[in-house]
Every structure is written in C-alpha cells, then in structure tokens.
Amino acid sequence: MADRYSFSLTTFSPSGKLVQIEYALSAVNSGVTSIGIKATNGIVVATEKKAVSTLIDDSSLEKVAIICSNIGMVYSGMGPDYRVLLNKARKAAQAYKRIYMEEPPTAILVKEIASVMQEFTQSGGVRPFGVSLLIAGFDESGPMLYQVDPSGSYWPWKATAIGKNMVNAKTFLEKRYNEDIELEDAIHTAILTLKEGFEGQMTENTIEIGVITGNVTTKDDGAVVLPEFRKLTPSEVKDYLANIA
C-alpha cells in the first residue's frame, strides 16, 4: 500500500504522511554531521568537510557559508540543493536591505528560506530539498540559532546537530551544554562533538567552523552596527584542535 504513495509528493498516504519528505530526511541523515551551539556571547556552527577523492582541490569546498554580514549557515544533505537555497537566501537578504537599509533580522530570513522549502512540498513537478540547515545570526534580539528541515519546519535551538551522527551528537551536547557557556567553550564543545563520530583524522582541512560574536552597537548617526559572521581560518582551527588534543 505504501508504494502507491511513495512516488507522489502532493498526495498524503492513509497514515497522513508525505512519504517523499521522509525520503528527503533520509538524504539529510546520510550527510555529514553538522553542529550548532548558541553561547551567551555568540554562536558557533561546525561541520565535517571531506572530499570524495584525494585528487579534489578541497580549497574549493564550502559547507559553512555567509548569507549576509550578520547571518551564516551550514547544511547536511545534498550539496547542490544547498547551493540553490543559499542563493535564494542571499537574494532575500539583499532585497530586505534594499528596502529597509539594514541587515535582516535572523527570524525573518529564516522564515523566507523555510517558505521556499515548504513550497517545494506541495507543488507538482518538483521534489523536496534534500537538506537540513543550521542558520546562525546576530541581531538586536541577540544571537539566534535555527534549524530548518525539508518540510519547511523551523525551530530555534540552544544547541543541535544534523546529519548521520545526529543522535549521538545530540546526546553528547545534552551532557555538555549549559546556559552560561561562552563562545570559546562552545567552539571546543562543537569540535569534541564532531570528534565523537569522526571517521579518520581530524585536521584543520577536514572540518569547517563559522562563528559570530560581539555586541550590537549604535553609531553617532543612529545606525545600528551588528556583529559579523565569519569563518575561522585553517590556522585558527589548527590552534583549537591543538588545545583539545
């Protein structure tokens, strides 16, 4: 009976499921692990970065990406789908800035991305995006970390994990996370969480880390200056790895 509904995106099965969305989540769960942790003074996102062949120039691989100056994201799942969503997110951020002359709040941009993903669950001739996203941003409300799934659902998190080692990573985070954690400790915790299920040797070239920290400030003319999201350089990642070795 289930096979009758597994090929249709827009038809519910008798149990009330859209089976193609469950298949999309399976694609996410077969992707590499990604971690997000919200600290008192910022957010860190981290992920494995592995090339399928030693012949690939891994400097061209990008898993942690900047959407706009105050928001970045990472994914687990299908890379090409992520690239499409990243482009849409950047266009949405620029459209907001063009109208309001400021960077978008994290929640508004997350809602825009989630709306695109949801639209692809009820339209004919398309399929759901095979990615889950962790979106980290800093606005006047402070640091915010969101997870967006292929169904278009999104939630704010204190700390979470997506990808193939998601269950073990979340268990590890539940033991290590506390409300008063600061960014430096959060970076160490993110690396240790990735290390739990990491295959092979962890080096500065096999993981990627993005952080956003700082304070919201106001210029003399009243303009609000937000902290900037940035990716850690390989040398910075190497230093962190040396500290936890």
Side-chain angles (χ1 to χ4, degrees), residues 176 183-193 239-240 243-244:
R176 295 287 300 242
L183 187 65
E184 286 297 306
D185 292 334
I187 294 172
H188 287 119
T189 301
I191 294 173
L192 288 170
T193 308
D239 289 341
Y240 280 110
N243 288 336
I244 66 170

Side-chain angles (χ1 to χ4, degrees), residues 113-123 129 149-153:
I113 299 170
S115 295
V116 171
M117 296 177 78
Q118 192 279 332
E119 186 179 339
F120 276 67
T121 68
Q122 63 175 44
S123 303
F129 288 96
D149 282 342
S151 63
S153 302

Side-chain angles (χ1 to χ4, degrees), residues 42-197:
I43 298 177
V44 56
V45 291
T47 187
E48 301 176 26
K49 186 179 77 168
K50 291 184 178 179
V52 294
S53 169
T54 56
L55 301 177
I56 291 178
D57 179 5
D58 58 12
S59 65
S60 64
L61 300 178
E62 181 186 55
K63 300 204 65 170
V64 175
I66 298 170
I67 300 176
C68 55
S69 65
N70 66 314
I71 303 175
M73 71 177 177
V74 67
Y75 77 98
S76 289
M78 300 178 66
D81 287 12
Y82 171 68
R83 188 173 65 242
V84 171
L85 288 170
L86 177 60
N87 288 338
K88 288 181 180 293
R90 285 173 171 168
K91 287 180 180 178
Q94 288 299 311
Y96 184 96
K97 188 173 183 178
R98 191 167 60 245
I99 295 171
Y100 298 103
M101 303 302 291
E102 63 181 20
E103 301 293 354
T106 312
I108 288 179
L109 190 63
V110 167
K111 186 176 180 181
E112 286 288 328
I113 299 170
S115 295
V116 171
M117 296 177 78
Q118 192 279 332
E119 186 179 339
F120 276 67
T121 68
Q122 63 175 44
S123 303
V126 298
R127 62 163 176 78
F129 288 96
V131 290
S132 282
L133 308 172
L134 295 181
I135 301 175
F138 207 126
D139 54 36
E140 294 180 53
S141 302
M144 294 296 294
L145 173 68
Y146 286 89
Q147 176 180 333
V148 189
D149 282 342
S151 63
S153 302
Y154 63 93
W155 309 269
W157 288 81
K158 298 174 183 176
T160 188
I162 53 177
K164 63 183 177 184
N165 198 39
M166 172 186 68
V167 176
N168 292 335
K170 282 188 175 180
T171 302
F172 186 85
L173 286 170
E174 286 169 2
K175 295 176 181 177
R176 295 287 300 242
Y177 182 82
N178 65 76
E179 298 281 350
D180 301 322
I181 192 170
E182 294 190 352
L183 187 65
E184 286 297 306
D185 292 334
I187 294 172
H188 287 119
T189 301
I191 294 173
L192 288 170
T193 308
L194 281 180
K195 211 168 187 177
E196 281 291 293

Side-chain angles (χ1 to χ4, degrees), residues 204 207 209 230-240:
E204 66 273 17
I207 64 171
I209 300 174
R230 71 182 186 90
K231 294 195 290 184
L232 297 188
T233 64
S235 61
E236 288 177 305
V237 175
K238 187 176 182 180
D239 289 341
Y240 280 110

